[in-house]
Amino acid sequence: MMSQTVQDAINKQIHAELGASYTYLAMSAWCEQHSFTGSARWLRLQSQEEYGHAMRLFDFMLARNARLDLRNLEQPRGEYKTLTEIFETAYEQEKAVSGQIEALYELVFREKAYPAVVQLEWFLNEQVEEEKTCREIVAQLHLIGSDPSGLLEIDRGLGSRAPGVTTKSGQA
Ligand code: FEO
């Protein structure tokens, strides 16, 4: 049985992943309402990925016969000024999640919860990819500034994202 400390920490991470899913969903709605339909699609898929991250940990907890402690989700931010602000916020969120995963990894290692260590290695790799993807999108948006044709092109590119793939262009 995993220690209470480990169970609490993983429950907290499940909450964080579901919160990220909810935030991306609100961002997707904003984009759809501002005619950035490609970005809306990308963000909706990202929301689903975050849900998938939560479920990975959820299933792991069940497999370890641990106690799941699902909590209320905060209302996600719904208002943004620009598409760039959306992806800047997403990038900041991903960096924060990376910090959470690293702290969790350190904790489960210290607690000698080795199966959890192995689980979290997947998350460490995933965060490297997610940070990279968001950083590249933000860099592209900074390059084009508020040029409408550039924005539309980026939006179209984001719309080509395929389900289950975490790259900015939608290609593996
Ligand atoms: Fe589940 Fe984007 O971190």
Side-chain angles (χ1 to χ4, degrees), residues 77-146:
R77 176 178 167 192
E79 285 306 318
Y80 293 90
K81 287 196 218 61
T82 60
L83 188 63
T84 303
E85 192 186 17
I86 293 240
F87 281 98
E88 284 170 347
T89 307
Y91 182 36
E92 290 308 314
Q93 175 169 282
E94 289 307 334
K95 285 193 283 188
V97 171
S98 296
Q100 290 162 0
I101 295 288
E102 284 167 18
L104 181 57
Y105 186 84
E106 193 185 337
L107 182 144
V108 299
F109 197 86
R110 207 170 51 230
E111 293 278 316
K112 298 186 167 48
Y114 297 118
V117 170
V118 173
Q119 266 300 314
L120 288 170
E121 275 165 9
W122 182 90
F123 281 84
L124 288 173
N125 286 326
E126 178 72 4
Q127 281 313 120
V128 170
E129 191 56 42
E130 295 208 334
E131 272 191 47
K132 175 176 182 283
T133 303
C134 284
R135 187 174 63 242
E136 287 172 0
I137 296 169
V138 168
Q140 285 187 0
L141 286 164
H142 285 171
L143 268 179
I144 56 121
S146 54

Side-chain angles (χ1 to χ4, degrees), residues 38-39 149 151-161:
S39 305
S149 61
L151 276 174
L152 285 176
E153 200 182 314
I154 288 181
D155 187 61
R156 208 170 19 245
L158 290 170
S160 69
R161 176 176 179 172

